[in-house]
């Protein structure tokens, strides 16, 4: 008789014995860390050329009081020229504040934790350097150590440098070297002091939590959760307890491990029976995994992390599968800035962004082109958004026809490691992005063939797999097989990552809108074994520039005008081509929100990329927002387009409505015009004649027992505007 028939029965027992699990898990006492919020009490001064001694002794009147999060930059205005509101300074900003050492337990170790500082940060305490961090998007910690005075005040100084990257600058070897977005300076995410005992879950782990969980699912009956915990100062006989709780806080699994002196890593596996899966927008169920370091039955240190149990699979012919079911990823890209705030966002700002994305019916977000806040990823976990996270390797590897410098390669590796470890436990993240359009400067001959990004891409790809074997890598390409004269040394990037994304703008920067689908088919035929996606597609749309027949009128893709109606028409032509191609594993609109870019003077704005579906201040949803809401959302939609085109000089017009109803009833000045059929969620009534003065347009549709209506007013004036 074969002995292997016993294995299915022995595996659960072995997992129990390996983890010392109890039959009925019980709650574990927790030791919450001492933290001091550092949002208040800061002084700020933008000052190039200072030394830390000058920053320490400069009198208070030379400083501006600020609170965190803070950036000195304000970029982007809805006008044709900049005003005094704009602050696009790049250079060195200094921050200082005092810390009362008497409030800190002398028996503990104390770290200051910055969630992000743009772009290079240096930190001193009482004039002594604590550390430097290079990279604007990830968390870092520095320990106070013996620089701390426990008997009185301590002067903390932070220098933030967002100098424009160029040879010899502080940012010359810090990715990104270039990008169509502005790197804001400052301590633009929260900061805090974290105090822990000598034995604790490691804080010196690339800004990560020190606790990392990987799930696997065997059918629907059980899940295995492999947990790695990194430790600092562990002592013989201490115990590490790892527990999993459901959304209601009930313990569902528990493991305990006795520690050896100086042990740095613990690996343990827990089993969850009958798991409820994290299932995207339909059911984003979250567990929590907790690691507690114990001594003689008393907790010393505790770390909690989100845990979502799910499977993800990518197929080159059939697309993306979540928990074994095909899921069409309908996504948007998102930059982390907004008008008047820059990168210094509040939790309410982030919540509003996520709510707008969910309202439109999207189920996926590409965070472009850098890691965003831990809170943003928490929101994505809870909203069920499938996320493409991305390291900020953008556009180029060097300033000349040369490979990436050793220092830049090391910086890219560190930023990649930080991104993965800090965000490892977010179930919403299904892929790690290793670069964006890193071939564009070669494509247009701005750099020569020695500035090839592929060697660094291969390093980042291998590093990602080593850090996280459970998630594939992805790369966004700008230029393969697109129209136009390209360098003959342009490398093919498809295949440098597990998955591929194509940033494509047919009918905007090149070609015709109808070219998109055939182009994607060509790439699919050329790379049949690689899962492909459309990582960017979009067109500009100005809020105050309009056209009655946008498809027949030229638009200025890098200047003015950029009619809102053209943006909407462009998406009407592009989305059906993407939707039709089932081999695509996802697509992401560029961009959900207008965002700042110092190279842009386009539409009705300056320093703003106008491709967003929502305005930079989040107050206006463009017509295209409602096109996708009608396409993607289950909510009833009736939206009359061109509502901001409210002063007209031509009486003949058409009425276009976005709706997910079969048809809508249309009125003009309360006079019925009949039913407009909705073809692929676009409902058009032509041959409309406006009267001089105010014209009230109405649209109404019934969804079951609910009637939904919309109304706009257009004024017909003579050609002189009266």
């Amino acid at each position: 008789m074969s002995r292997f028939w016993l294995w299915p029965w022995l595996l659960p027992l072995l997992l129990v014995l390996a983890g010392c699990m109890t039959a009925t898990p019980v709650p574990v006492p927790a030791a919450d860390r001492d933290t001091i919020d550092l949002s208040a009490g800061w002084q700020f001064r933008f000052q190039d050329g200072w030394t830390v001694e000058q920053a320490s002794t400069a009198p208070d009147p030379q400083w501006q009081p600020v609170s965190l999060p803070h950036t000195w930059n304000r970029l982007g205005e809805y006008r044709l020229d900049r005003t005094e509101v704009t602050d696009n300074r790049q250079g060195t900003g200094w921050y200082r504040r005092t810390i009362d050492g008497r409030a800190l337990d002398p028996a503990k170790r104390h770290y200051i934790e910055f969630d992000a500082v743009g772009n290079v940060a240096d930190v001193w305490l009482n004039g002594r350097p604590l550390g430097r961090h290079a990279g604007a998007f990830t968390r870092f910690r520095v320990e106070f150590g013996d620089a701390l005075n426990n008997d009185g005040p301590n002067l903390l100084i932070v220098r933030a440098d967002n100098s424009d990257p160029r040879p010899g600058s502080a940012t010359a070897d810090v990715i990104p070297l270039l990008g169509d977005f502005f790197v804001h300076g400052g301590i633009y995410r929260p900061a805090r002091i974290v105090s822990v005992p000598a034995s604790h879950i490691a804080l010196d782990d690339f800004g990560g939590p020190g606790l990392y969980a990987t799930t696997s699912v065997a059918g629907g009956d059980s899940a295995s959760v492999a947990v790695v915990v990194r430790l600092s100062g562990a002592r013989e006989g201490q115990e590490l307890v790892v527990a999993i709780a459901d959304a209601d806080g009930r313990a569902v699994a528990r493991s305990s491990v006795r520690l050896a002196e100086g042990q740095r890593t613990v690996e343990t596996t827990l089993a969850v029976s009958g798991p409820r899966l994290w299932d995207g927008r339909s059911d984003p169920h979250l567990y929590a995994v907790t690691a507690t370091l114990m001594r003689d039955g008393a907790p010393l240190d505790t770390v909690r992390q989100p845990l979502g149990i799910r499977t993800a699979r990518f197929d080159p012919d059939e697309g993306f599968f979540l928990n074994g079911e095909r899921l069409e990823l309908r996504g948007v890209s998102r930059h982390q800035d907004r008008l008047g705030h820059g990168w210094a966002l509040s939790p309410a700002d982030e919540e509003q962004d996520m709510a707008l994305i969910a309202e439109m019916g999207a189920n996926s977000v590409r965070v472009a082109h850098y890691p965003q806040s831990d809170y943003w990823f928490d929101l994505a976990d809870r909203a069920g958004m499938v996320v493409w996270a991305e390291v900020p390797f953008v556009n180029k590897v060097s300033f000349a026809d040369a490979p990436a410098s050793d220092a830049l390669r090391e910086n890219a590796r560190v930023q990649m490691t930080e991104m993965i470890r800090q965000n490892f436990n977010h179930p919403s993240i299904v892929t790690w992005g290793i670069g964006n359009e890193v071939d564009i400067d070669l494509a247009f001959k701005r750099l020569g063939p020695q500035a090839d990004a592929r060697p660094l891409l291969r390093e980042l790809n291998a590093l990602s797999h080593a850090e996280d074997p459970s998630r594939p890598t992805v790369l966004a390409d700008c230029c393969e097989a697109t129209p136009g004269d390209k360098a003959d040394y342009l490398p093919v990037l498809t295949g440098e990552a597990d998955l591929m994304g194509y940033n494509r703008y047919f009918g905007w920067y090149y070609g015709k809108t109808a070219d998109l689908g055939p182009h994607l088919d060509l790439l699919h035929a050329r790379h049949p074994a690689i899962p492909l996606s459309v990582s960017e597609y979009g067109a500009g749309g100005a809020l105050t520039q309009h056209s009655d027949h946008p498809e027949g009128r030229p638009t200025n893709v890098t200047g003015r005008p950029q009619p809102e109606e053209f943006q909407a028409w462009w998406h009407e032509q592009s989305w059906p081509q993407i939707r039709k191609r089932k081999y695509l594993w996802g697509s992401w609109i560029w961009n959900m929100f207008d965002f700042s870019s110092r190279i842009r003077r386009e539409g009705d704005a300056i320093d703003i990329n106008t491709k967003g579906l929502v305005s930079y201040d989040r107050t206006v949803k463009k017509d295209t927002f409602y096109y996708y809401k009608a396409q993607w959302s289950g909510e009833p939609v009736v939206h009359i387009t061109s509502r901001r085109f409210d002063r007209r000089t031509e009486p003949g017009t058409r009425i276009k409505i976005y709706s997910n109803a079969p048809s809508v009833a249309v009125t003009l000045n309360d006079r019925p015009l009949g039913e407009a059929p909705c073809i692929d969620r676009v409902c058009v009534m032509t041959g409309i004649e406006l009267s001089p003065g105010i014209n009230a347009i109405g649209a109404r549709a019934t969804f079951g027992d609910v009637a939904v209506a919309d109304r706009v007013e257009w004024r017909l004036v003579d050609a002189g505007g009266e």
Side-chain angles (χ1 to χ4, degrees):
M1 177 185 294
S2 171
R3 60 182 177 228
F4 294 107
W5 69 272
L6 291 171
W7 179 247
W9 302 96
L10 286 172
L11 179 59
L13 177 60
L14 292 173
L15 288 174
V16 169
L17 293 175
C20 303
M21 294 177 58
T22 61
T24 305
V26 296
V28 180
D32 291 330
R33 288 173 167 173
D34 296 336
T35 60
I36 298 175
D37 176 72
L38 296 181
S39 60
W42 291 89
Q43 296 176 313
F44 168 75
R45 181 182 174 92
F46 185 86
Q47 183 69 57
D48 284 326
W50 258 6
T51 65
V52 66
E53 291 78 14
Q54 289 171 305
S56 300
T57 58
D60 289 344
Q62 294 185 13
W63 297 78
Q64 170 192 353
V66 299
S67 59
L68 305 186
H70 175 265
T71 175
W72 62 83
N73 294 122
R74 298 289 185 273
L75 198 69
E77 298 184 63
Y78 284 111
R79 52 184 299 125
L80 303 186
D81 298 296
R82 295 189 185 111
T83 71
E84 67 280 357
V85 171
T86 291
D87 186 344
N88 60 359
R89 292 175 294 174
Q90 291 182 273
T92 304
W94 293 84
Y95 295 83
R96 74 179 187 185
R97 61 158 292 162
T98 58
I99 294 172
D100 187 354
R102 295 169 299 181
L104 301 177
D105 184 347
K108 292 190 174 183
R109 295 173 65 177
H110 308 288
Y111 294 79
I112 183 166
E113 178 178 81
F114 296 94
D115 286 347
V117 177
N119 183 15
V120 176
D122 291 278
V123 185
W124 294 267
L125 188 69
N126 299 323
R128 296 177 61 177
L130 299 185
R132 163 174 280 206
H133 182 261
F137 309 104
T138 42
R139 181 185 309 112
F140 68 97
R141 306 179 181 110
V142 292
E143 188 173 5
F144 287 160
D146 58 8
L148 177 68
N149 171 22
N150 274 111
D151 297 324
N154 296 262
L155 183 62
L156 176 67
I157 291 180
V158 180
R159 180 176 63 196
D161 191 333
N162 74 332
S163 298
D164 190 26
R166 59 173 59 92
S169 72
T171 55
D173 293 307
V174 181
I175 60 171
L177 297 184
L178 185 67
D180 185 13
F181 58 94
F182 186 79
V183 175
H184 291 64
I187 311 176
Y188 73 88
R189 289 185 191 154
R192 63 199 63 83
I193 295 172
V194 180
S195 301
V196 292
S199 298
H200 58 274
I201 296 166
L203 285 164
D204 58 349
D205 192 31
F206 291 91
L211 162 62
Y212 309 94
T214 303
T215 66
S216 59
V217 180
D221 297 333
S222 65
S224 175
V225 183
V227 177
V228 175
V229 181
R230 295 186 172 95
L231 303 169
S232 179
R235 304 302 300 271
E236 175 77 32
Q238 290 177 344
E239 180 184 18
L240 183 74
V241 179
V242 178
I244 297 173
D246 63 17
D248 296 321
R250 292 188 294 263
V252 298
R254 185 177 186 272
S255 169
S256 65
V257 177
R258 287 284 176 182
L259 302 179
E261 185 73 19
Q263 186 169 345
R264 290 285 296 171
T265 303
V266 170
E267 298 182 15
T268 185
T269 301
L270 296 83
V272 178
S273 61
R276 182 175 167 184
L277 302 183
W278 187 91
D279 204 26
R281 300 277 289 129
S282 63
D283 184 15
H285 182 78
L286 288 172
Y287 293 86
V289 58
T290 303
T292 300
L293 186 61
M294 310 279 288
R295 181 182 59 202
D296 299 329
L300 292 173
D301 189 29
T302 300
V303 169
R304 297 179 183 85
Q305 286 288 288
L307 176 69
I309 299 174
R310 54 125 181 99
T311 64
R313 180 170 68 87
F314 303 81
D315 187 273
D317 294 314
E318 299 181 42
F320 176 72
F321 290 78
L322 181 64
N323 301 323
E325 299 292 329
R326 186 180 185 277
L327 179 64
E328 182 182 84
L329 292 183
R330 309 175 307 239
V332 296
S333 296
R334 186 247 189 184
H335 273 293
Q336 65 179 7
D337 59 341
R338 70 166 56 197
L339 187 66
H341 298 232
W343 282 359
L345 302 183
S346 69
D349 292 333
E350 306 237 55
E351 291 161 9
Q352 183 187 24
D353 280 8
M354 186 61 75
L356 286 165
I357 293 170
E359 178 192 343
M360 198 176 74
N363 61 11
S364 182
V365 179
R366 179 187 177 208
V367 291
H369 294 296
Y370 41 78
Q372 296 179 14
S373 73
D374 189 61
Y375 187 58
W376 174 259
F377 289 121
D378 280 341
L379 291 173
D381 291 343
R382 300 202 295 263
M385 293 290 172
V386 175
V387 172
W388 168 337
E390 190 164 286
V391 75
F393 180 26
V394 185
N395 286 69
K396 61 196 300 180
V397 300
S398 65
F399 300 105
D401 183 16
S405 69
D406 290 344
L408 185 133
R409 290 170 48 226
E410 176 60 21
N411 178 260
R413 288 194 296 264
V414 169
Q415 290 201 52
M416 189 87 199
T417 304
E418 289 175 336
M419 176 181 72
I420 293 174
R421 293 200 188 181
Q422 292 174 27
N423 300 294
F424 190 96
N425 297 309
H426 291 291
S428 55
I429 298 173
V430 298
T431 182
W432 301 117
I434 62 173
N436 176 76
E437 294 191 354
V438 292
D439 51 346
I440 195 167
D441 270 14
L442 274 69
F444 296 105
K445 307 174 187 177
R446 294 190 288 261
L447 290 174
Q450 298 302 311
D452 188 346
R454 287 176 296 178
L456 181 51
L457 289 174
R458 290 165 187 166
E459 286 189 53
L460 296 179
N461 188 53
L463 175 62
S464 178
H465 289 146
E467 286 288 324
D468 182 9
S470 71
R471 289 181 176 97
T473 57
V474 65
L475 172 63
D477 163 83
C478 74
C479 302
E480 182 184 348
T482 56
D485 181 30
K486 304 286 197 322
D488 57 9
Y489 50 79
L490 176 66
V492 173
L493 299 185
T494 304
E496 299 296 342
D498 304 316
L499 313 172
M500 198 64 194
Y502 296 110
N503 300 349
R504 294 301 184 261
Y505 294 89
F506 284 95
W508 184 251
Y509 291 126
Y510 44 73
K512 298 178 293 185
T513 55
D515 296 337
L516 175 61
H519 172 82
L520 295 172
D521 292 341
L522 178 151
L523 293 170
H524 180 47
R526 184 179 289 181
H527 308 290
I530 298 175
L532 307 182
S533 67
V534 179
S535 39
E536 292 179 19
Y537 69 107
L543 297 172
T544 61
Q545 296 170 350
H546 301 285
S547 173
D548 215 2
H549 297 284
E551 64 275 20
R553 298 189 180 182
T555 187
N556 190 337
V557 300
T558 59
R560 319 179 197 278
Q562 293 182 355
E564 182 182 4
E565 287 77 12
F566 184 89
Q567 181 192 51
W569 174 84
W570 189 94
H571 279 278
E572 291 172 23
Q573 311 311 305
S574 300
W575 164 244
Q577 297 180 73
I578 293 171
R579 179 184 59 202
K580 179 181 178 181
R581 285 157 172 84
K582 301 303 181 184
Y583 58 79
L584 295 173
W585 63 268
S587 60
W588 292 267
I589 299 165
W590 189 262
N591 197 282
M592 183 64 192
F593 308 103
D594 287 351
F595 61 92
S596 64
S597 170
R598 64 176 180 171
I599 68 172
R600 298 281 175 169
R601 284 144 181 80
E602 61 185 40
D604 56 359
I606 188 166
D607 299 323
I608 293 176
N609 187 314
T610 63
K611 294 185 184 69
L613 307 187
V614 178
S615 63
Y616 193 21
D617 60 3
R618 280 52 167 179
T619 62
V620 179
K621 302 168 187 173
K622 301 180 189 180
D623 285 341
T624 312
F625 175 96
Y626 291 96
Y627 170 71
Y628 282 102
K629 186 173 181 179
Q631 291 285 341
W632 294 351
S633 173
E635 296 180 17
V637 177
V638 175
H639 173 79
I640 303 171
T641 67
S642 294
R643 61 206 313 110
R644 281 166 287 281
F645 189 11
D646 54 3
R647 293 179 64 83
R648 300 178 177 232
T649 59
E650 298 179 6
T653 190
R654 62 180 174 179
I655 299 171
K656 184 169 72 174
I657 300 151
Y658 294 142
S659 179
N660 46 14
S663 64
V664 294
V666 182
T667 62
L668 173 60
N669 294 324
D670 297 323
R671 176 172 57 87
L673 299 180
E675 295 276 334
C678 299
I679 309 302
D680 199 12
R681 312 299 168 94
V682 181
C683 330
V684 179
M685 187 165 283
T686 59
I688 305 301
E689 290 291 324
L690 302 179
S691 301
I694 297 293
N695 293 263
I697 313 299
R700 183 182 181 90
T702 301
F703 300 81
D705 297 330
V706 178
V708 178
D710 193 19
R711 183 181 177 90
V712 302
E713 289 186 351
W714 297 336
R715 179 185 292 272
L716 180 64
V717 299
D718 62 32
E722 300 298 328

